[in-house]
Amino acid sequence: MMIRRRTFAHVVSAAAAAALVSTQPNAVLGTTRVLGQSVALKDIVPAGWVIGAAINQNQSDGRDGVAVDLITRQFNSISPENVLKFQSVHPEPDRFTFDAADRYVAFGRDRRMAVIGHNLVWHSQTPRWVWDGPDGGLADRTTMLARMRTHIATVVGRYKGKIRGWDVVNEALSDDGTLRDSPWRRGIGDDYVAQAFTFAHEADPSAELYYNDYNLATRPEKRAGAIRIIKDLQQRRIRIDAVGEQGHWRLDTPTPAQIDQAITDLRATGVKVMITELDVNLLPQAAPPTAGQPPSSESNPYATGLPDDVQQALARYYADAFRIFLTHRDDITRVTFWGVSDADSWLNRGRMNYPLLWDRQRHPKPAFDSVVTVLTGKR
Ligand code: XIL
């Protein structure tokens, strides 16, 4: 063990080497495991970034001890996979349910992490009552705005000074860059986005406020829509600190050049850029399986394991992405993975997917090593 430690110590930072000595459980794993687990992403990201993971309730409640250790060692920011969504905290008009969310926030604060709020206004995972009018149709503008304001004031207010920043509006755009025809927009009008940011700022003037969406790297017209949202807020003198590209990517898309262009374009608005939900989907696009039926083998090609060439392609993709991120080190303030290990990922949905840096046994994958290599400037 001493030889391994010494051999390793000279190729990584002193901080990482110190972490190695203090993480005895890793000693039971093989050499590469020891090496991989011992480097902490949080110790090697550029100054000015935080590196995060979305955590699920088993993790924020402390039931999944192995994952908790991994999150604690590796990350200095967390996002809530589900516990802060509208339906989780505000299921009925006069009922707020904060137990799980409180534990999530405490999890991050106990570890001095940047705790992220996700999210306030979205068309999904939001209860029907929010948009319903008395006659079964849509609520009128005044009613819906009042509901939005109560929700934001209560949730943001509760965690004032404790949550660093909020995804205020999530996924407001269609792929063509126009505003999505969501119940929020139909009920309130196009200014619902500006209203949400205003309410969030009122509730916690110190909190950072973000606009978050997907396909901003793959679709220039959608990116243009995000830029219009940002500029509209800026023209109205409403606070916005950063734009999040979710980063639900695939091996073939977006390309490194597209990622590079997206960060450049988004940053040109003046706000910072965050990669907020990074994962790389390795499975073919497939229609949702019939309930109760196992997925077809074509839709689930890696049911018994990931071939090495795909494993290596994933490692290369992550390396390429992080190389681009580093060229934008001053434009980016956060990179967050949507999950910790492949076992936890939302991308499985009845199939076997491998989108993250840790495998189902919570061992680091070649993709982890390739990210470490890039972040430590070795390649
Ligand atoms: C996903 C969660 O990971 C799942 O557990 C849940 O069933 C659905 O939502 N974009 C977002 C996230 O902004 O909130 C979504 O999270 C993934 C897509």
Side-chain angles (χ1 to χ4, degrees), residues 81-82 85 118-119 122 125 170-171 212 246 248 277 338 346:
E81 187 172 4
N82 288 299
K85 289 173 180 174
H118 172 86
N119 58 65
W122 190 22
Q125 293 184 274
N170 197 35
E171 302 180 354
N212 195 52
Q246 292 183 0
H248 296 298
E277 303 185 12
W338 205 247
W346 73 302

